[in-house]
Amino acid sequence: MIPTKKQQMSSPAAPLQSDTLGSRLTSRGDLTSFFMELTAEIGADSYMLVAIVHDQDRNDARIVSSNWIFDAIELIGKRLIAGLAQGPLTAAPGIRPTPLVAAQAPDAGGLVSGEEARLLDVLGHAEVYSLRLNVGRQRLFALFSAAAAGRIDQPALMKAQLKCCYALSHIPQLIAAAAMQDPLSDRERECLFWVSEGKTTDEVAVILGVSSNTVNSYITHAIQKFAASNRAMAIATAIRSGII
């Protein structure tokens, strides 16, 4: 029986098809939608696409796209995120992935400490899978996590990894631009960093050897460049982008 127009409109969206992935991803918004769909398909709660920018520095991670909450990124920090992305449990395409289960850490090869494991669990990342993505010469990793261990579908996860490799290989310029995007000057970046560390404007002025008015000017420029409404939003954007 041919479905009515109403039935067609109310039917669920078709799953992502590999032959349409390349044409669908044309912006950062498309990239976010793509990963949100994959996250739902595999039964995960969260995702993070991480780029390792410098080959000689394992801790220089840039967050290209993510739906982690700001507090989780800030508390866990780039060092741990880079460690999760490039750790011994990270699976290459075609290899059955092994999760980091927070409740079983730090027994998982010393990848995280007991305190870090408890923090991951509290923040809703009780189970974390790290997948290496083969996308040209770029070093990209996808982290998928769930608030409860055993929720993520491993076979579906392996298929999702191949989808990621295929889709991202069609948009190398977009990924590179997202990973390297840093509109701030050195001074603007320094001011945002120290404010994110809890320093006042006067304290930042002393640290940098400039006036308080100059510090405020740098921070205002940073807020404008990020199209943020206040300092907190600018800091959150800079942290999510791996800029500070």
Side-chain angles (χ1 to χ4, degrees), residues 88-99 129-132 152-159 161:
L89 300 181
T90 299
I95 304 300
R96 188 175 184 84
T98 300
Y129 282 92
S130 175
L131 309 176
R132 192 178 76 212
I152 296 176
D153 184 335
Q154 281 194 347
L157 181 65
M158 296 178 70
K159 292 180 181 178
Q161 184 176 16

Side-chain angles (χ1 to χ4, degrees), residues 1-204:
M1 181 176 67
I2 299 176
T4 66
K5 184 175 181 180
K6 181 178 180 180
Q7 289 172 327
Q8 290 174 335
M9 293 177 63
S10 62
S11 61
L16 294 166
Q17 300 297 321
S18 60
D19 58 350
T20 63
L21 291 179
S23 61
R24 285 187 56 179
L25 303 182
T26 60
S27 68
R28 293 285 294 275
D30 294 337
L31 189 64
T32 297
S33 296
F34 168 71
F35 272 96
M36 290 295 288
E37 289 182 47
L38 281 185
T39 300
E41 284 183 13
I42 65 176
D45 298 312
S46 305
Y47 80 90
M48 181 181 290
L49 177 62
V50 179
I52 304 299
V53 178
H54 300 299
D55 289 345
Q56 300 304 316
D57 185 355
R58 288 174 57 87
N59 294 327
D60 191 7
R62 296 285 176 85
I63 300 172
V64 178
S65 183
S66 172
N67 70 340
W68 287 38
I69 62 173
F70 167 70
D71 285 347
I73 295 175
E74 183 177 36
L75 290 172
I76 290 174
K78 288 173 57 180
R79 183 197 63 79
L80 180 54
I81 289 172
L84 292 172
Q86 301 182 105
L89 300 181
T90 299
I95 304 300
R96 188 175 184 84
T98 300
L100 168 68
V101 180
Q104 298 174 0
D107 299 327
L111 181 57
V112 296
S113 69
E115 182 60 31
E116 290 170 335
R118 285 189 290 274
L119 185 58
L120 284 169
D121 198 1
V122 168
L123 292 171
H125 306 283
E127 176 182 65
V128 182
Y129 282 92
S130 175
L131 309 176
R132 192 178 76 212
L133 305 178
N134 294 340
V135 184
R137 300 180 63 182
Q138 298 186 70
R139 299 179 63 191
L140 297 174
F141 302 85
L143 302 178
F144 289 101
S145 57
R151 181 181 296 173
I152 296 176
D153 184 335
Q154 281 194 347
L157 181 65
M158 296 178 70
K159 292 180 181 178
Q161 184 176 16
L162 296 178
K163 284 184 180 181
C164 287
C165 293
Y166 179 88
L168 300 185
S169 66
H170 283 72
I171 53 170
Q173 293 83 7
L174 176 61
I175 296 300
M180 297 301 294
Q181 189 174 19
D182 185 354
L184 304 184
S185 69
D186 289 342
R187 281 302 197 189
E188 290 164 352
R189 191 182 311 106
E190 287 176 327
C191 289
L192 274 191
F193 169 76
W194 286 115
V195 172
S196 74
E197 292 290 301
K199 303 298 183 182
T200 65
T201 298
D202 290 340
E203 289 172 334
V204 176

